[in-house]
Amino acid sequence: MKFEGTENYVATDDLRLAVNSAVALQRPLLIKGEPGTGKTMLAEEVAKGLGKKLLQWHIKSTTKAQQGLYEYDAVSRLRDSQLGDDKVHDISNYIKRGKLWEAFDADEQVVLLIDEIDKADIEFPNDLLVELDKMEFHVYETGETVKAKHRPIIIITSNNEKELPDAFLRRCFFHFINFPDRETMQKIVAVHHPDAKQTLVNEALEVFFDVRSIPGLKKKPSTSELIDWLKLLMADDVPDEILKNRDGSKAIPPLYGALLKNEQDVHLLERLAFMHRRESRG
């Protein structure tokens, strides 16, 4: 079975090829791309498209690789021993399984998402090398070795906040999700807003790509922001003429709060509008 995209996710030919190649090679698929290009959603849709269960491990700055394997709760065991609880004699009662253990122990192949791996410490990827390579790990407290019943399909996302180690990169199949072009973006919009008027979509896309092309933006609006903005335009019944006949002296698009996410970018567009007004008077 191959991943062909789903009705909720527009996958380019390159992306479909990357997913299927990683599955065929039995290597983790490392997905990079700017925020809002659908990296996390890809794992959800791959699981749906292949009919497999999805396990999600969302990485934070404090996350340690060991937590993906298991955690031993020594504090609870000490407390229970002081209370005379019989379960202290079985150390496995204090072993909490991580997402990797869950994926390894599943009776059927699952999709495992390791989301935003670059948020963690630089050593985090290296600490998982052996486990991802050999598909097994040792539980020191119980002496058992956990081996994967079925090699999971592993999808790892990164926002490029940190460089990942070479040894880790060698073990992955890599794909960079380019920002969607206008044609692909229209297909994405059609999935999320099938009832939107085409004239409104066309004008909104024009404004959206114009804003993205402005030099000096701190955060360019992404796909998710476009989807939210269109939803607001439709909810407020904003006529597409307002977008079509936009005035350069009013560079800020209507309901801009869905598109622009910081005051520097708002001020930048305001300055552009001011400069346009001065030029028009001259």
Side-chain angles (χ1 to χ4, degrees):
M1 185 183 290
K2 291 196 171 185
F3 177 65
E4 300 293 345
T6 68
E7 60 181 18
N8 296 320
Y9 191 91
V10 178
T12 61
D13 292 342
D14 286 348
L15 182 54
R16 289 198 296 270
L17 179 64
V19 171
N20 293 320
S21 297
V23 172
L25 291 170
Q26 297 189 327
R27 288 187 178 273
L29 174 62
L30 174 61
I31 294 287
K32 289 187 180 182
E34 67 177 84
T37 47
K39 298 187 296 297
T40 301
M41 191 184 292
L42 173 65
E44 298 168 6
E45 297 306 318
V46 167
K48 194 183 299 180
L50 299 180
K52 299 186 183 296
K53 181 182 177 182
L54 174 67
L55 297 177
Q56 302 186 55
W57 186 17
H58 297 288
I59 307 304
K60 301 175 183 176
S61 59
T62 54
T63 305
K64 301 298 179 188
Q66 181 65 33
Q67 292 170 301
L69 308 179
Y70 68 92
E71 291 181 274
Y72 169 51
D73 192 349
V75 174
S76 291
R77 191 179 186 209
L78 176 61
R79 185 193 62 228
D80 288 346
S81 68
Q82 291 170 337
L83 296 172
D85 195 320
D86 275 347
K87 72 177 186 179
V88 297
H89 302 298
D90 184 357
I91 199 169
S92 64
N93 289 323
Y94 303 93
I95 302 287
K96 181 185 176 185
R97 297 182 175 196
K99 293 297 180 182
L100 237 66
W101 191 335
E102 284 183 44
F104 286 5
D105 203 42
D107 291 326
E108 295 180 351
Q109 186 184 47
V110 301
V111 175
L112 172 64
L113 168 66
I114 303 178
D115 197 28
E116 298 189 322
I117 194 170
D118 53 323
K119 277 189 175 178
D121 183 85
I122 189 65
E123 288 304 317
F124 180 95
N126 282 335
D127 291 343
L128 289 176
L129 286 180
V130 175
E131 290 77 12
L132 295 180
D133 227 10
K134 295 190 174 181
M135 287 287 136
E136 65 178 52
F137 63 89
H138 188 69
V139 183
Y140 296 99
E141 288 78 7
T142 63
E144 67 182 304
T145 297
V146 177
K147 296 186 178 182
K149 295 179 182 177
H150 304 276
R151 180 179 282 266
I153 297 169
I154 299 175
I155 296 177
I156 302 169
T157 71
S158 169
N159 285 325
N160 256 349
E161 288 183 17
K162 292 191 191 85
E163 281 297 316
L164 298 173
D166 288 346
F168 178 79
L169 294 174
R170 279 199 301 273
R171 288 163 169 80
C172 297
F173 189 94
F174 171 72
H175 181 74
F176 185 89
I177 299 182
N178 289 309
F179 195 82
D181 58 21
R182 191 184 175 108
E183 183 183 345
T184 305
M185 192 64 86
Q186 277 191 305
K187 293 177 183 175
I188 294 170
V189 168
V191 165
H192 290 273
H193 299 304
D195 300 325
K197 285 193 303 178
Q198 197 53 51
T199 50
L200 177 65
V201 170
N202 289 340
E203 296 306 327
L205 283 173
E206 199 72 35
V207 173
F208 174 76
F209 281 107
D210 278 354
V211 171
R212 275 188 60 86
S213 68
I214 294 172
L217 275 187
K218 187 172 181 182
K219 186 193 180 304
K220 294 181 180 181
S222 67
T223 308
S224 55
E225 272 113 34
L226 172 63
I227 301 303
D228 288 347
W229 186 48
L230 267 167
K231 185 177 181 180
L232 284 177
L233 292 175
M234 292 163 63
D236 280 24
D237 207 17
V238 174
D240 42 272
E241 288 79 17
I242 288 181
L243 301 177
K244 188 174 185 178
N245 302 319
R246 61 191 181 281
D247 184 348
S249 64
K250 299 182 180 69
I252 305 275
L255 303 167
Y256 66 85
L259 283 180
L260 304 174
K261 298 299 183 179
N262 61 67
E263 64 277 12
Q264 294 100 312
D265 290 346
V266 174
H267 293 157
L268 175 61
L269 262 66
E270 286 173 342
R271 284 199 302 275
L272 290 173
F274 175 72
M275 288 165 63
H276 189 278
R277 285 195 296 271
R278 288 185 62 180
E279 287 169 7
S280 298
R281 288 196 203 104

